[in-house]
Amino acid sequence: MRELWTTLASMMGVWAFSQSLLQTVFPAEVRFMSLKFIHRICNWFSAYCYYDITEIDGVNTNELYNAVQLYLSSSASITGNRLSLTRGLNSSSITFGLSNNDSLIDTFNGTVKVLWEHVVIPRQAQTFSWRPLPEEKRGFLLRAKKKDKAVVLGSYLDFVMEKANEIRRKNQDRLLYTNSRGGSLDSRGHPWESVPFKHPSTFDTLAMDPQKKAEIMADLLDFANGESFYQTTGRAWKRGYLLYGPPGTGKSSMIAAMANFLGYDIYDLELTEVHTNSELRKLLMKTSSKSIIVIEDIDCSINLTNRKNKNNNNSTHSFSPPGAGAGAGAGAGSNEDGGNTITLSGLLNFTDGLWSCCGTERIFVFTTNHIEKLDPALLRSGRMDMHIHMSYCSFPALKILLKNYLGYDDDDVEKQLLEQLEQVIEKAEMTPADISEVLIKNRRNKNKAVWELLEALRTRAERNDAVKSSADDEEQEKRALETPKEAKCDKEKESS
């Protein structure tokens, strides 16, 4: 045992002597250059390249690090058993990511494979800094094959950023904005005030013909995924929808379903609080991308009637709130009655002019109960690209309401009862809001709710038939009275 310790001490002495001799013969600069040369040789023969993505770049937060963290949270190929759970500010869901020093393999386009590793090491003692740094140094190490270098640094990282933005938008609570009263600014200098948007309406719950809903959803997806198309064709990345129909047909629910489907914020523009075209432009400039700009009941909010119905007095087309008097629209810029002086040109530029291009991926939605009152210039393609008629409740929409409010499928309702509902629904001309009220009132007794709905539909249908019959009788009497007069006029013409 003594000989073993003696041998070990001798070896340690030889090692210490060799180390001191090596430091004397080969200075630190020579050793550093040698290690650097060996490292280059290893990299030359290696099939991989490595990229460091640190959490903090200098004194600024690295946006790419946050994007990678969000992107990896959606991956289903996590190999580690430990996950890091986070919940961000203004977020309604919990996201997970790689834990410290864990790794996963990601595949892009089915051919490019990369390895992500979350590297966390203690940070050395900090020197004086204007911004305190975290105690740990965090970052991601990306390993990829050299042949895939161009793809990784190009389209792959762009894909990671886009996916992270999409996840961030879905996780965050959507906001509903409205313009401040009288154009005033909030504490941050913004003309919009916001509240969390938690409307539960979706396309699944929307009472509308399924085929029509599918067309709208496909059009929305084409728009949201059409960035390259709009750039190639030289068009602004925006789209306009006009929702028109009787009150209670679900126009506001349609807007909420569109926002929930795309994950967009909503800007509810109150035109009566906008006084000039300049204010309208400023409001547009302060809207964010990926948003829906809504003007509800545009035929009621301002006097925006069809120019063809005016008596050749359309040189300026300035508008005032209903009831403000004719003097409010007498000339552009006049504001004697305290109304707004928004011109038709200003509103058109808001939706389809140069100012409408100051943001990207935005949807304009107008709603009206009387489409015939609107100026044709507002309705043409490019401003309102898709006209959606929100009509009375149809039989397919009725089945959706029965499922929403009563939990009934087609098999849960008697076949004979369904046939009776189908026969009377078109003649009744009841809106989804009217039918929903009947179902809500009797939702505790589902069978009673359906039969009472059938009775309400029959009553409404009979009333409509009576009104139509009365109108037909009046029309026939009017024609009968006009026929002798026309015959007398014809005889006078013949005699003359």
Side-chain angles (χ1 to χ4, degrees):
M1 188 67 180
R2 185 176 180 181
E3 295 178 355
L4 178 62
W5 285 109
T6 303
T7 305
L8 183 61
S10 301
M11 293 178 62
M12 293 178 64
V14 172
W15 171 255
F17 175 76
S18 301
Q19 188 177 13
S20 61
L21 180 64
L22 183 65
Q23 293 177 356
T24 303
V25 178
F26 300 99
E29 295 80 1
V30 176
R31 296 197 305 271
F32 175 75
M33 293 299 296
S34 300
L35 292 175
K36 187 175 181 181
F37 179 72
I38 294 174
H39 183 67
R40 285 187 175 181
I41 293 178
C42 294
N43 289 339
W44 180 266
F45 290 101
S46 175
Y48 296 96
C49 51
Y50 299 85
Y51 307 96
D52 291 322
I53 302 175
T54 57
E55 181 182 13
I56 297 176
D57 182 15
V59 295
N60 299 320
T61 302
N62 189 354
E63 293 185 4
L64 183 57
Y65 173 87
N66 296 330
V68 172
Q69 196 171 33
L70 276 177
Y71 169 74
L72 295 181
S73 69
S74 64
S75 176
S77 59
I78 294 181
T79 58
N81 295 324
R82 296 176 57 191
L83 299 178
S84 176
L85 303 180
T86 58
R87 180 172 180 174
L89 182 65
N90 194 30
S91 176
S92 58
S93 61
I94 297 176
T95 59
F96 61 89
L98 287 177
S99 185
N100 298 350
N101 302 315
D102 204 350
S103 62
L104 67 83
I105 297 176
D106 187 34
T107 304
F108 179 63
N109 286 341
T111 57
V112 179
K113 283 189 176 182
V114 298
L115 175 69
W116 288 100
E117 183 179 358
H118 193 204
V119 180
V120 180
I121 57 177
R123 190 181 296 274
Q124 297 180 354
Q126 299 183 24
T127 57
F128 175 77
S129 176
W130 293 104
R131 177 187 177 185
L133 297 177
E135 296 180 355
E136 296 177 330
K137 185 177 181 181
R138 298 173 178 272
F140 286 100
L141 178 64
L142 172 61
R143 189 192 75 178
K145 292 185 177 180
K146 290 183 177 179
K147 66 176 183 178
D148 300 328
K149 181 178 180 179
V151 177
V152 170
L153 295 180
S155 56
Y156 177 66
L157 289 182
D158 291 340
F159 171 76
V160 169
M161 293 293 293
E162 293 176 2
K163 188 69 174 180
N165 290 333
E166 180 182 346
I167 296 172
R168 186 181 295 109
R169 187 174 67 252
K170 289 183 178 180
N171 290 341
Q172 286 182 345
D173 289 338
R174 282 170 287 282
L175 298 177
L176 174 63
Y177 294 87
T178 184
N179 48 311
S180 304
R181 183 176 181 82
S184 60
L185 304 179
D186 62 7
S187 59
R188 298 173 298 173
H190 293 170
W192 295 97
E193 300 173 355
S194 65
V195 294
F197 179 72
K198 297 183 179 296
H199 200 291
S201 177
T202 63
F203 278 105
D204 291 334
T205 62
L206 195 63
M208 179 183 285
D209 183 77
Q211 183 177 358
K212 193 173 183 180
K213 284 197 294 187
E215 294 176 1
I216 298 172
M217 294 169 64
D219 189 78
L220 289 171
L221 285 178
D222 287 342
F223 168 78
N225 300 326
E227 180 179 8
S228 59
F229 168 78
Y230 283 91
Q231 289 180 350
T232 303
T233 56
R235 292 171 57 95
W237 194 6
K238 65 179 185 62
R239 192 156 180 81
Y241 294 85
L242 176 68
L243 310 182
Y244 66 98
T249 52
K251 293 184 285 293
S252 297
S253 297
M254 169 65 77
I255 297 172
M258 294 169 66
N260 290 327
F261 181 66
L262 295 177
Y264 287 4
D265 292 334
I266 295 180
Y267 289 85
D268 186 14
L269 178 61
E270 181 56 55
L271 285 180
T272 57
E273 296 296 338
V274 184
H275 298 142
T276 63
N277 293 336
S278 178
E279 289 184 11
L280 193 62
R281 289 194 296 267
K282 290 178 181 178
L283 286 170
L284 181 64
M285 292 173 62
K286 291 296 183 178
T287 58
S288 62
S289 299
K290 299 182 182 295
S291 61
I292 301 177
I293 302 173
V294 179
I295 302 179
E296 288 195 282
D297 297 323
I298 189 172
D299 56 308
C300 299
S301 58
I302 58 176
N303 185 20
L304 193 61
T305 55
N306 193 331
R307 286 176 293 177
K308 295 181 180 180
N309 297 333
K310 295 185 179 182
N311 297 324
N312 298 325
N313 187 21
N314 57 359
S315 58
T316 56
H317 311 299
S318 61
F319 310 127
S320 61
S334 65
N335 200 15
E336 298 176 356
D337 295 335
N340 57 33
T341 56
I342 305 173
T343 64
L344 177 61
S345 175
L347 191 59
L348 297 182
N349 284 330
F350 178 83
T351 56
D352 191 34
L354 293 176
W355 289 101
S356 67
C357 306
C358 61
T360 59
E361 199 171 350
R362 290 184 303 190
I363 294 176
F364 292 87
V365 178
F366 287 1
T367 70
T368 179
N369 297 333
H370 306 282
I371 188 174
E372 67 279 358
K373 293 184 178 181
L374 299 183
D375 194 290
L378 275 173
L379 307 180
R380 72 166 178 83
S381 298
R383 289 168 183 146
M384 295 295 109
D385 302 287
M386 192 172 187
H387 296 189
I388 302 174
H389 182 213
M390 308 295 292
S391 60
Y392 293 109
C393 188
S394 61
F395 183 64
L398 175 62
K399 291 193 291 185
I400 295 176
L401 291 176
L402 292 176
K403 183 176 182 180
N404 292 342
Y405 291 96
L406 305 180
Y408 275 170
D409 292 323
D410 294 348
D411 298 335
D412 298 328
V413 184
E414 298 178 9
K415 184 177 181 181
Q416 184 179 1
L417 181 56
L418 276 179
E419 293 176 353
Q420 295 179 25
L421 290 171
E422 185 176 7
Q423 292 173 359
V424 76
I425 185 66
E426 299 295 339
K427 297 179 181 179
E429 294 184 352
M430 289 183 66
T431 64
D434 295 334
I435 294 177
S436 300
E437 187 62 28
V438 177
L439 297 179
I440 290 175
K441 183 175 64 175
N442 300 286
R443 67 183 183 277
R444 298 183 183 277
N445 191 335
K446 299 180 180 180
N447 189 49
K448 179 182 177 182
V450 178
W451 283 104
E452 187 165 331
L453 174 61
L454 177 60
E455 186 63 27
L457 291 172
R458 286 174 174 173
T459 303
R460 183 68 66 88
E462 292 174 359
R463 185 193 309 170
N464 292 340
D465 290 340
V467 171
K468 291 179 181 179
S469 177
S470 177
D472 293 340
D473 293 341
E474 292 179 0
E475 183 67 23
Q476 290 178 2
E477 292 178 2
K478 185 178 179 180
R479 290 180 181 179
L481 292 175
E482 291 178 351
T483 300
K485 295 180 180 180
E486 294 176 356
K488 184 177 180 180
C489 292
D490 293 340
K491 289 181 179 181
E492 290 178 354
K493 290 180 180 179
E494 291 176 359
S495 61
S496 61

